[in-house]
């Protein structure tokens, strides 16, 4: 095990081996990943104040509560003034960055709206707030407009880098094209976004080999950020029917931690999110992810009246908690595991910054 961990470059069989680690070997993996993070990045954690900007979505991903076919969801778009109020809260709490997330929409009202709020946040904060977008697949023109308006990071999860597994969780229709998703990630990288991607862990039919290929995919794209989290079945989606065919909660969390730890060893300087979904399955899920190598957390700033309508998966953590409550809670939780939240800084990906400098 020690020999595998210390290899200069992990290959597919090594990765499968690490993802299958149990007992003492698992502990050795987690320890080595934490040591790698502390060596390359320090014990700092960066925050992204999250605004769930709109839950309207043109897609029908088979795992997601916001899918178009789910008529139980009351659809909304947050107003410009409300987004700005979130930005003021972020500034007051010392959050250095915001994240704007939504269902996938390509209508002009939405595209223009995102551009408008990006500019407004930049103006309001005098450029102090960094901004991550996570608004799905768009044309290159739209990605460029948003980049020019001030977004500098973009997160678009591949969900699974294996074509067959991708189509087992998405309908096989033109709007759910795997190739299009890949193209979008390349477009984002080309424009110069700090580009992030990621997958869900514990999907029906997913093997350690699939997960190893996901990690190899992240490395092959040289992405700046990764967000990965456990799959949580949602009762109003088609994948609910397969909930008996997935690993237990404990297994999904464990596998997520192994994915984070292995990736931290493979890509020591990227930004990695500790997903809120970890907290849904385990009361200390976010802390465990940070101890396994994650270095970013996204506390929710969405106005309270919309929150119940943004349930991508059930039992989301912090849905009823006010921003100040999460602020204190997270600060304390990170201190308990010897980490330090870095306030008032963008917290860009060190991997990305170094690559830029190399190019310059
Ligand atoms: N469980 C966990 N994560 C989910 N996502 C969507 N549905 C679920 C679910 N049921 C994740 C996807 C998507 C992001 C918005 O949320 O990875 O990219
Ligand atoms: Fe829409 Fe994203 Fe949910 Fe898919 S995962 S249904 S694109 S919100
Ligand atoms: Fe939201 Fe703890 S982080 S209540």
């Amino acid at each position: 095990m020690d020999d595998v961990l210390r290899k200069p470059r992990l290959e597919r069989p090594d990765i499968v081996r690490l993802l299958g680690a149990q007992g003492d070997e698992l502990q050795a993996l987690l320890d080595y990943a934490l040591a790698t993070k502390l060596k390359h990045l320090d014990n700092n954690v960066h925050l992204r104040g999250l605004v769930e900007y709109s839950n309207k979505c043109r897609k029908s991903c088979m795992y997601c509560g916001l899918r178009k076919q789910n008529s139980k969801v009351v659809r909304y778009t947050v107003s410009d003034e409300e987004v700005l109020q979130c930005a003021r809260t972020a500034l007051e709490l010392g959050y250095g960055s915001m994240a704007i997330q939504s269902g996938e929409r390509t209508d002009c009202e939405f595209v223009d709206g995102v551009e408008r709020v990006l500019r407004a946040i930049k103006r309001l904060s005098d450029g102090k707030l960094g901004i991550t977008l996570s608004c799905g697949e768009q044309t290159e023109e739209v990605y460029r407009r948003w980049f020019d308006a001030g977004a500098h990071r973009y997160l678009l999860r591949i969900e699974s880098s294996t074509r067959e597994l991708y189509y087992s969780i998405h309908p096989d229709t033109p709007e759910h094209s795997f190739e299009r998703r890949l193209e979008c990630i390349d477009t984002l990288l080309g424009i110069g976004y700090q580009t992030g991607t990621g997958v869900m862990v514990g999907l029906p039919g997913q093997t350690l080999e699939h997960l190893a290929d996901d990690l190899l995919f992240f490395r092959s794209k040289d992405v700046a950020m990764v967000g990965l989290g456990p799959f949580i079945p949602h009762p109003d989606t088609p994948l609910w029917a397969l909930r008996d065919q997935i690993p237990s909660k404990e297994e999904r969390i464990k596998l997520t931690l192994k994915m984070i730890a292995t990736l931290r060893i493979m890509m020591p300087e990227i930004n990695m999110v500790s997903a809120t979904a970890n907290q849904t399955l385990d009361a200390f899920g976010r802390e465990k992810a940070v101890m396994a190598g994650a270095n970013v957390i996204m506390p929710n700033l969405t106005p309270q009246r919309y929150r119940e309508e943004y349930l991508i998966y059930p039992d989301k953590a912090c849905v009823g908690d006010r921003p100040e409550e999460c602020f204190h809670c997270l600060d304390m939780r990170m201190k308990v595991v010897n980490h330090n939240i870095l306030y008032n800084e963008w917290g860009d990906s060190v991997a990305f910054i170094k690559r830029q400098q190399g190019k310059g």
Side-chain angles (χ1 to χ4, degrees), residues 217-327:
F217 171 76
F218 304 154
R219 186 168 71 185
S220 74
K221 292 287 169 192
D222 196 14
V223 294
M225 329 184 287
V226 168
L228 42 84
F231 165 60
I232 303 172
H234 187 299
D236 303 317
T237 63
L239 286 193
W240 178 253
L242 303 185
R243 66 191 178 285
D244 297 337
Q245 298 173 28
I246 61 170
S248 69
K249 280 185 187 187
E250 293 74 24
E251 286 299 322
R252 272 175 284 152
I253 280 285
K254 206 160 122 187
L255 204 46
T256 300
L257 297 177
K258 289 193 247 188
M259 284 284 282
I260 291 173
T262 305
L263 186 60
R264 176 55 72 200
I265 295 166
M266 293 168 68
M267 304 180 80
E269 293 174 337
I270 62 169
N271 273 352
M272 229 190 301
V273 190
S274 167
T276 307
N278 290 317
Q279 186 83 358
T280 297
L281 297 190
D282 180 326
F284 298 102
R286 279 175 302 184
E287 291 91 320
K288 287 179 184 173
V290 164
M291 292 300 280
N295 69 325
V296 173
I297 293 185
M298 297 172 54
N300 203 339
L301 295 179
T302 307
Q304 201 55 53
R305 63 182 178 123
Y306 300 119
R307 293 211 188 168
E308 292 288 345
E309 300 302 335
Y310 205 90
L311 298 182
I312 292 175
Y313 52 84
D315 304 318
K316 241 171 81 180
C318 298
V319 165
D321 298 310
R322 286 179 297 116
E324 309 80 69
E325 292 173 317
C326 292
F327 168 86

Side-chain angles (χ1 to χ4, degrees), residues 158-187:
I158 187 72
E159 314 297 357
S160 169
S161 63
T162 305
R163 202 171 185 281
E164 295 71 47
L165 191 59
Y166 185 91
Y167 280 114
S168 73
I169 59 169
H170 296 96
D172 191 354
T173 66
E175 59 286 7
H176 299 85
S177 155
F178 178 67
E179 279 68 33
R180 173 94 204 285
R181 180 72 62 114
L182 288 173
E183 275 168 29
C184 283
I185 293 171
D186 286 338
T187 304

Side-chain angles (χ1 to χ4, degrees), residues 22-178:
Q22 304 288 351
D24 287 350
E25 288 200 342
L26 170 56
Q27 197 53 52
L29 166 63
L30 296 174
D31 291 347
Y32 193 72
L34 177 61
T36 304
K37 182 178 80 165
L38 295 177
K39 179 170 154 208
H40 288 267
L41 298 180
D42 228 325
N43 65 342
N44 292 323
V45 171
H46 309 293
L47 300 184
R48 321 286 183 223
L50 173 66
V51 179
E52 295 155 333
Y53 177 64
S54 174
N55 65 355
K56 297 181 188 174
C57 185
R58 65 189 198 100
K59 282 193 170 165
S60 279
C61 305
M62 278 144 60
Y63 42 85
C64 174
L66 302 188
R67 67 202 304 270
K68 192 178 178 180
Q69 256 92 325
N70 186 3
S71 55
K72 290 190 191 164
V73 177
V74 181
R75 306 287 168 167
Y76 71 81
T77 305
V78 178
S79 72
D80 289 16
E81 185 41 43
E82 285 169 317
V83 176
L84 288 181
Q85 198 48 49
C86 296
R88 285 185 201 103
T89 305
L91 285 170
E92 278 162 24
L93 297 177
Y95 296 177
S97 287
M98 289 178 78
I100 297 180
Q101 200 182 80
S102 70
E104 191 171 295
R105 292 174 58 181
T106 51
D107 52 290
C108 293
E109 190 187 340
F110 174 76
V111 171
D112 295 348
V114 170
E115 182 174 5
R116 216 172 40 238
V117 298
L118 286 169
R119 292 193 192 278
I121 293 169
K122 284 286 157 185
R123 210 177 309 121
L124 172 98
S125 72
D126 210 6
K128 281 199 187 72
L129 286 170
I131 309 178
T132 308
L133 279 183
S134 188
C135 301
E137 295 169 21
Q138 303 290 341
T139 62
E140 174 160 4
E141 187 216 330
V142 169
Y143 283 149
R144 281 194 190 278
R145 274 175 60 191
W146 290 345
F147 188 74
D148 293 339
H152 58 121
R153 309 188 194 103
Y154 204 105
L155 194 62
L156 181 64
R157 288 186 175 183
I158 187 72
E159 314 297 357
S160 169
S161 63
T162 305
R163 202 171 185 281
E164 295 71 47
L165 191 59
Y166 185 91
Y167 280 114
S168 73
I169 59 169
H170 296 96
D172 191 354
T173 66
E175 59 286 7
H176 299 85
S177 155
F178 178 67

